Amino acid sequence: MKFGNVSKGLLLGLALLLATSVFAASNKGSMQLLDPVTVSGKQLPAGDYSVKWDGSGPNVELNILKGNKVVATTPARLIDLSQRPNSDAAVVKNNDDGSKSLAEIHFGGKKFGLAIGQETAMDGSGSSK
């Protein structure tokens, strides 16, 4: 009888551990910038980056990393996408002055993305700009 209770406890613990691991793994991704872009006033050169975010959503804090170093931090908002993109994509906005800003990040195979920027994180409508 005790063995049955211990087995149930171990099974429950394993299920919680796996659920936590899956949730934690979903708070990171990658992106490739083909051109230099501005994020929260910081200029990021073209290249490959990883992203991690904290928060339960929809408003989160996004960290952009080059290797293990955080190169930019900005507010972001989780958004629903109508289709799952085939690959990771950085959506870039062309500014009036000719510069480019990071507007959204889409993740391959996921039905969600991140809208970048202070005004987007504060927007309660759930729509991306």
Side-chain angles (χ1 to χ4, degrees), residues 2-3 6-7 9 22 43 59 73 83 98 110 114 121:
K2 285 185 177 184
F3 179 74
V6 171
S7 295
V22 168
Q43 183 78 13
N59 295 328
T73 300
Q83 295 182 16
K110 306 290 184 193
L114 292 170

Side-chain angles (χ1 to χ4, degrees), residues 9 63 84 98 117:
N63 291 309
R84 295 175 196 264

